Amino acid sequence: MSAPEVLVGVIGGSGLYHLDNLTFVETVNPATPWGLPSSPITISRLPSGALVAFLARHGIGHTISPSVVPSRANIAALKSLGARAILAFSAVGSLREEIAPGDFCLPSQIIDRTKGIRAGSFFTGSIVAHASFADPFSKKLGAWLEVKVAEALEKEERGIRLHIDKTIICMEGPQFSTRAESLMYRQWGGDLINMSVLPESKLAKEAELSYALIATATDYDSWRPSEAGVTAAEVFKTLKANASTSRFVAAYVLEELARAVAADPSLMSILSEEQGSMKFSITRLSCAATDDPEAAKQLAYVLPEYFGTPPIDPEA
């Protein structure tokens, strides 16, 4: 039996391991051509009736290091369940004085400082594609979130600030930055730093899914000369203090989005901005099945629009 179709996929990062005030529907664990996702996926119903799918990026109990997160399986699994967009959450370090620990951020650009360890594309066989990545976060979804995340934070009345249009550095990890690296990232124009946004955002782009990141600043990384460098203890202390806010923001924006789309179908464009974006990015698309039949079979799972129909039953 296939899982019910969801509207939005949610990827929870450090500190966000479940969502509040939703009605549980079922748990699924789709077996994708790239393996199983980081965790079983919980499908829940919003008060409006729309379905959302939640998975924990680092696994249940935070057991998966950033470099080995099965991002291809995560993105493919969420799309196989019908998700039109992905709303991701992550802890980040702040590279700017004005972005204080506890603040929320919506980045708009990424600088890649990963080291080629992570599988960063669905196109790894003889079928080649060059996705546009000038805007790594979906603009329409990001603009909508700027308003709704601010509303959510105002309603919670904890005085937490929202910062928008920031550049995030994605480093390999799992170690934190040296002081020299942290200072260099500031000179490059970086505002935030984490270990999770790549290849997640690249894979969402290839899968034609709108993608946005809601980040929580937990520390000042290692650029402040008068302070000790960031530690895991500091990160998790801030995350624990902000956990209820993260869950409130997630529940609020998901319900607002579902209600908005239901009331005005034209707003579905917020979730469909990336649809069709890969059509002219895949070289020799008409010959794909003969160029690399095995790769084409895999790609049919995540891009059935171009390579065929995905499995009817995504259960392992």
Side-chain angles (χ1 to χ4, degrees):
M1 180 179 178
S2 62
E5 188 167 289
V6 304
L7 182 68
V8 177
V10 179
I11 299 179
S14 302
L16 184 65
Y17 301 111
H18 67 275
L19 299 176
D20 288 343
N21 303 319
L22 305 184
T23 302
F24 173 80
V25 175
E26 66 175 309
T27 298
V28 297
N29 201 21
T32 79
W34 301 276
L36 294 172
S38 297
S39 73
I41 297 173
T42 301
I43 298 177
S44 301
R45 193 177 305 279
L46 294 165
S48 61
L51 298 176
V52 296
F54 177 89
L55 70 79
R57 181 188 291 115
H58 297 288
I60 296 173
H62 203 109
T63 58
I64 303 174
S65 187
S67 296
V68 292
V69 169
S71 295
R72 290 187 296 183
N74 289 348
I75 299 298
L78 290 172
K79 183 166 183 180
S80 77
L81 296 174
R84 276 84 158 177
I86 291 176
L87 187 58
F89 288 78
S90 177
V92 297
S94 168
L95 298 172
R96 301 294 163 188
E97 190 71 41
E98 65 271 18
I99 304 175
D103 287 358
F104 275 59
C105 307
L106 292 172
S108 58
Q109 280 296 322
I110 302 172
I111 295 175
D112 188 353
R113 281 283 292 165
T114 60
K115 298 179 179 178
I117 298 171
R118 312 171 186 202
S121 176
F122 289 112
F123 296 87
T124 55
S126 299
I127 302 174
V128 178
H130 300 283
S132 173
F133 201 58
D135 297 302
F137 302 99
S138 299
K139 286 189 169 184
K140 290 182 180 180
L141 181 57
W144 188 88
L145 285 170
E146 287 179 13
V147 176
K148 295 302 176 179
V149 173
E151 283 182 8
L153 293 174
E154 185 176 353
K155 285 179 179 293
E156 216 204 13
E157 298 182 336
R158 288 186 58 201
I160 294 176
R161 295 176 298 177
L162 173 66
H163 305 269
I164 62 173
D165 197 26
K166 299 302 178 183
T167 295
I168 185 168
I169 307 283
C170 187
M171 63 180 293
E172 187 60 54
Q175 301 83 3
F176 294 116
S177 307
T178 66
R179 292 190 188 278
E181 288 170 334
S182 193
L183 289 168
M184 178 181 69
Y185 298 148
R186 281 168 50 84
Q187 292 176 344
W188 284 1
D191 303 299
L192 311 166
I193 184 166
N194 87 338
M195 304 176 189
S196 301
V197 72
L198 294 175
E200 202 170 85
S201 56
K202 289 184 177 180
L203 294 166
K205 186 75 73 170
E206 287 188 346
E208 296 191 341
L209 294 174
S210 292
Y211 178 91
L213 179 71
I214 298 178
T216 302
T218 58
D219 56 84
Y220 279 114
D221 201 47
S222 300
W223 58 270
R224 281 174 145 192
S226 60
E227 294 186 3
V230 58
T231 65
E234 180 183 2
V235 170
F236 284 103
K237 180 180 178 181
T238 303
L239 287 174
K240 184 177 181 180
N242 259 33
S244 62
T245 299
S246 294
R247 293 194 298 271
F248 178 81
V249 168
Y252 182 83
V253 299
L254 287 168
E255 177 64 7
E256 286 290 298
L257 182 57
R259 288 184 183 277
V261 169
D264 183 357
S266 70
L267 293 178
M268 185 61 78
S269 63
I270 296 171
L271 303 180
S272 60
E273 182 178 358
E274 307 299 337
Q275 289 182 9
S277 62
M278 290 297 293
K279 184 174 183 179
F280 300 108
S281 299
I282 305 166
T283 63
R284 291 174 57 82
L285 177 57
S286 62
C287 306
T290 53
D291 284 348
D292 193 335
E294 186 58 33
K297 183 179 178 181
Q298 287 186 330
L299 288 165
Y301 191 95
V302 73
L303 285 171
E305 301 88 342
Y306 310 119
F307 295 98
T309 305
I312 294 174
D313 186 353
E315 286 287 347

